[in-house]
Amino acid sequence: MKVDVLLGLQWGDEGKGKIVDVLTPKYDIVARFQGGPNAGHTLEFEGQKYVLRSIPSGIFQGGKINIIGNGVVLDPALFKAEVEALERSGHDLTKRIYISRKAHLILPTHRILDAAYEAQKGDVKIGTTGKGIGPTYTDKISRNGLRIGDIEQNFEQKYKAAIDRHILILKQMNYDFDLSQLEKEWMEGIETIKRFKLIDSEHFVNKELAEDKKILAEGAQGTMLDIDFGSYPYVTSSNTISAGASTGLGIAPSKIGEVYGIFKAYCTRVGSGPFPTELHDEVGQKMRDFGNEYGSVTGRPRRCGWIDLVALRYAIMVDGVTQLIMMKSDVMDTFESIKACVAYDINGKEVEDFPYSIDENLTPIYAELPGWKTDMTKMQSENEFPEEFNAYLSFLEENLGVPIKIVSVGPDRAQTIIRYDDSAE
Ligand code: GDP
Ligand code: IMO
Ligand code: MG
């Protein structure tokens, strides 16, 4: 069997968590392959709402194994809080979450360094989630990181060396900090991690594949936040694209099967950085209100704008997307008309290919389609779709060149419409 990958095609928060949960019954294993607690993946079902940060979104359906892969960065303190909250609501996780020994640890000082670097950047700060993601991946690449596997060998010594190095950097930056409380919670988190099965996940995953098991790799963030292909430097510090599933789980590119690309019917972004189709008017505010566009981790209002097909085509290209999933269609239910950016006007030239930089002065060129002005939230099948909505789907499929196989019409697990039933595949 192959590994199917599900990823965000925009700037994150597309609804990955919801769809991973919906798709989990088709799989034996769900695995996160990059990112860390900067992610906030929301799932709603049976009147309950959960926000997952480091735990994969396959945890609620039918006792499946969930893996935290080597490409992930894990904060023990936040992991402990997440585990305990789920256990309090009656979910037994211990036997179902496996953690890669090669995943890197977010140290308490990484969080402080994240804040210190942001403060140093001043006006050009990234607007990070403040979870220590950048500094942890920096240490990984510069070969100074601490890994989950280190917990099993000479841990205290390695921890102290890493922390001392960070303290020196923070002192050189004249950055005031208090480590004691953070460190206490962090050490307690290490004890929580020890309750879980620590594995060489690349071996595990490949053995399972050889035994015909089905694996779903769950992306975090989105393609436009990818360290190589996103709107650099306003990106996260990992490869969020489909290739990240190879390095983040130890699976060869030839083992990747379907690539599900997920996007909102409009577009959002949190934090700083360019956003060509951003709306600062009442239409953008309507998207924020109807879509409840406030960060699931930080609570920050998300910036909202029209769907950007130039950026989406680029994401589909670098990810090799085979199926599209459109989320939050219901947010547009009352709109008179809907715009979609089909090209950029850059200095009077019409550009259809995503350019090196979207920082410069560019104007989106829009196509405008009639809205469907119908409440779609209770629809159960594509046969109920209004004519204008079908026209919108066809327009997108034609422009993007990939079929839209799933349409989401509300946050609940049940508000999901699978088009073209592929159960016979
Ligand atoms: P993720 O990070 O990609 O998993 O997405 P988030 O959970 O951060 O943000 C998506 C938000 O939209 C969450 O609050 C979801 O509950 C919500 N959501 C997901 N799908 C839909 C949908 O089809 N309609 C509406 N109205 N909300 C949705
Ligand atoms: P999910 O998985 C949306 C953004 C931050 C910031 C930039 C860098 O829920 O879609 P970082 O803390 O990673 O160094 O921040 O990336 N960002 C996200 N935006 N959804 C996310 O995750 C994000 N994770 C990071 O807002 O602009
Ligand atoms: Mg999110």
Side-chain angles (χ1 to χ4, degrees), residues 44 264 266 268 282-294 302 304 327-336 338 372-375 377 409-411 415:
E44 287 191 40
K264 289 181 198 183
Y266 50 102
T268 63
E282 68 281 4
V283 180
Q285 188 56 41
K286 194 169 161 183
M287 289 171 180
R288 191 171 302 112
D289 291 343
F290 289 11
N292 191 23
E293 295 295 357
Y294 295 90
R302 294 177 182 147
C304 296
M327 309 300 290
K328 302 193 108 166
S329 327
D330 54 296
V331 175
M332 318 245 88
D333 278 355
T334 58
F335 283 54
E336 279 295 325
I338 291 168
W372 42 92
K373 295 196 283 170
T374 310
D375 178 359
T377 54
V409 293
Q415 292 171 297

Side-chain angles (χ1 to χ4, degrees), residues 41-341:
H41 294 180
T42 316
L43 288 76
E44 287 191 40
F45 55 90
E46 293 160 11
Q48 301 288 322
K49 178 171 168 173
Y50 300 92
V51 180
L52 300 175
R53 293 170 152 193
S54 301
I55 294 177
S57 303
I59 204 70
F60 297 110
Q61 296 252 41
K64 305 295 170 77
I65 299 296
N66 282 251
I67 296 177
I68 296 176
N70 59 278
V72 173
V73 290
L74 192 65
D75 182 323
L78 295 178
F79 179 68
K80 174 175 185 276
E82 199 175 329
V83 165
E84 288 179 352
L86 287 174
E87 286 178 342
R88 272 196 302 277
S89 49
H91 299 278
D92 175 23
L93 308 174
T94 325
K95 295 200 174 58
R96 295 198 287 118
I97 297 179
Y98 298 176
I99 307 174
S100 168
R101 288 198 175 87
K102 293 194 171 74
H104 277 246
L105 283 162
I106 302 177
L107 303 186
T109 37
H110 281 134
R111 266 204 250 176
I112 301 171
L113 282 165
D114 197 352
Y117 290 136
E118 281 284 85
Q120 200 175 49
K121 276 180 178 278
D123 282 351
V124 290
K125 69 173 189 209
I126 311 286
T128 72
T129 57
K131 298 292 179 284
I133 305 297
T136 308
Y137 279 116
T138 302
D139 275 354
K140 172 178 175 172
I141 301 299
S142 64
R143 296 153 297 177
N144 287 305
L146 217 61
R147 300 187 291 178
I148 293 285
D150 288 319
I151 296 174
E152 297 168 322
Q153 293 165 350
N154 291 336
F155 181 57
E156 274 173 33
Q157 205 181 326
K158 290 177 190 167
Y159 171 81
K160 185 158 186 327
I163 290 285
D164 285 350
R165 211 180 122 262
H166 290 163
I167 290 175
L168 199 64
I169 298 170
L170 286 161
K171 284 200 174 138
Q172 280 164 351
M173 293 175 79
N174 284 324
Y175 193 81
D176 269 342
F177 61 95
D178 179 7
L179 188 57
S180 49
Q181 183 59 23
L182 282 178
E183 195 164 50
K184 181 174 170 290
E185 290 168 3
W186 194 88
M187 286 299 175
E188 289 166 5
I190 292 291
E191 295 310 308
T192 302
I193 288 177
K194 287 182 184 164
R195 281 171 38 203
F196 291 84
K197 195 162 160 178
L198 309 184
I199 60 167
D200 296 319
S201 55
E202 65 279 24
H203 285 295
F204 179 80
V205 165
N206 282 289
K207 278 187 187 136
E208 295 292 303
L209 285 178
E211 288 174 14
D212 264 0
K213 296 280 174 49
K214 294 185 80 176
I215 302 180
L216 178 63
E218 172 182 4
Q221 291 77 56
T223 302
M224 300 316 292
L225 289 170
D226 180 86
I227 184 74
D228 282 283
F229 299 105
S231 46
Y232 193 87
Y234 298 100
V235 293
T236 191
S237 300
S238 65
N239 277 122
T240 60
I241 58 169
S242 54
S246 281
T247 54
L249 287 173
I251 44 159
S254 58
K255 297 263 171 64
I256 291 182
E258 295 295 330
V259 179
Y260 303 106
I262 177 163
F263 66 98
K264 289 181 198 183
Y266 50 102
C267 194
T268 63
R269 171 163 207 171
V270 220
S272 332
F275 180 2
T277 59
E278 182 170 13
L279 295 169
H280 298 282
D281 57 7
E282 68 281 4
V283 180
Q285 188 56 41
K286 194 169 161 183
M287 289 171 180
R288 191 171 302 112
D289 291 343
F290 289 11
N292 191 23
E293 295 295 357
Y294 295 90
S296 33
V297 172
T298 58
R300 290 182 288 180
R302 294 177 182 147
R303 299 156 64 192
C304 296
W306 295 116
I307 195 166
D308 182 342
L309 302 182
V310 181
L312 267 183
R313 287 194 300 265
Y314 181 70
I316 288 168
M317 176 183 79
V318 296
D319 288 319
V321 172
T322 59
Q323 302 187 25
L324 287 167
I325 301 174
M326 186 165 87
M327 309 300 290
K328 302 193 108 166
S329 327
D330 54 296
V331 175
M332 318 245 88
D333 278 355
T334 58
F335 283 54
E336 279 295 325
S337 69
I338 291 168
K339 288 188 186 175
C341 167

